[in-house]
Amino acid sequence: SLFMETRNLARDSTDATKLLVSIERPYVTVGGQYRTNTAGTITERDGKRYFKLEVGNYGRTPAILTAYGVRFATLEKVQNTPNDITPMKNHPDLLAPGVRHKPITERLVFDPTKDEVVYGAFWYQSPLQEGDLRSCFVLKLGARRTEVDVPDVHPSYRLQD
């Protein structure tokens, strides 16, 4: 019947739209390294180090950044408790497709004698999706650089919307 054909076309169109949005959406990634001087030496002051936060968009659609949150903790915390990150700093910005390492801040201070990991998230919006989206990250604070291999992390620290 005409009604059934129209309903099927509408359903197929909705499915195709969902697929297109899932392919064309922004893919926001977050990471960073230690702040260094021009000689490449890690910047330290009074035994503290500085973390340089970066964000990238590996998708094919712009992302509209709205906020971020970053915390430092022990490895035990991120292994045994759910992610408690909340937006800590409003950061309205446009992140174009193909931007790989956009510096956000170099002023995040941590104590390498106590802190073993850095974790956080970026909140953003997409022109193709409704509502706020979130991209979480967790990195191990190694002796010379940050490392993506953090063992047995609670799954909530790796969420991507």
Side-chain angles (χ1 to χ4, degrees):
S1 79
L2 181 58
F3 172 76
M4 296 297 280
E5 289 299 319
T6 304
R7 185 189 70 176
N8 290 342
L9 283 172
R11 185 181 307 139
D12 291 346
S13 174
T14 300
D15 292 344
T17 301
K18 287 179 184 176
L19 178 62
L20 179 64
V21 168
S22 72
I23 292 170
E24 296 294 327
R25 70 181 197 81
Y27 287 94
V28 174
T29 61
V30 187
Q33 281 294 337
Y34 304 133
R35 186 171 76 184
T36 57
N37 61 24
T38 54
T41 305
I42 296 172
T43 304
E44 289 192 15
R45 177 184 245 170
D46 299 325
K48 308 278 195 251
R49 288 187 176 180
Y50 296 86
F51 179 74
K52 180 171 69 174
L53 181 66
E54 297 176 342
V55 65
N57 180 2
Y58 287 75
R60 295 166 46 167
T61 302
I64 300 131
L65 303 177
T66 58
Y68 67 87
V70 178
R71 292 193 179 146
F72 299 93
T74 63
L75 181 58
E76 181 182 10
K77 179 195 181 337
V78 298
Q79 289 174 329
N80 298 315
T81 62
N83 191 341
D84 59 354
I85 197 69
T86 58
M88 300 165 73
K89 173 114 173 105
N90 289 333
H91 188 82
D93 198 358
L94 180 66
L95 189 59
V99 171
R100 300 295 189 243
H101 300 283
K102 182 174 187 169
I104 301 301
T105 182
E106 296 185 355
R107 297 183 179 144
L108 300 169
V109 180
F110 70 98
D111 184 344
T113 64
K114 297 177 185 173
D115 300 314
E116 299 171 301
V117 297
V118 56
Y119 69 96
F122 259 91
W123 283 263
Y124 64 98
Q125 297 174 343
S126 165
L128 301 176
Q129 295 166 285
E130 291 186 23
D132 286 332
L133 304 168
R134 181 175 69 164
S135 179
C136 296
F137 75 99
V138 60
L139 297 169
K140 187 175 179 189
L141 298 170
R144 304 297 312 151
R145 68 185 197 293
T146 60
E147 302 167 9
V148 296
D149 186 25
V150 184
D152 305 317
V153 172
H154 190 280
S156 61
Y157 289 89
R158 300 199 192 276
L159 291 176
Q160 305 292 321
D161 291 332

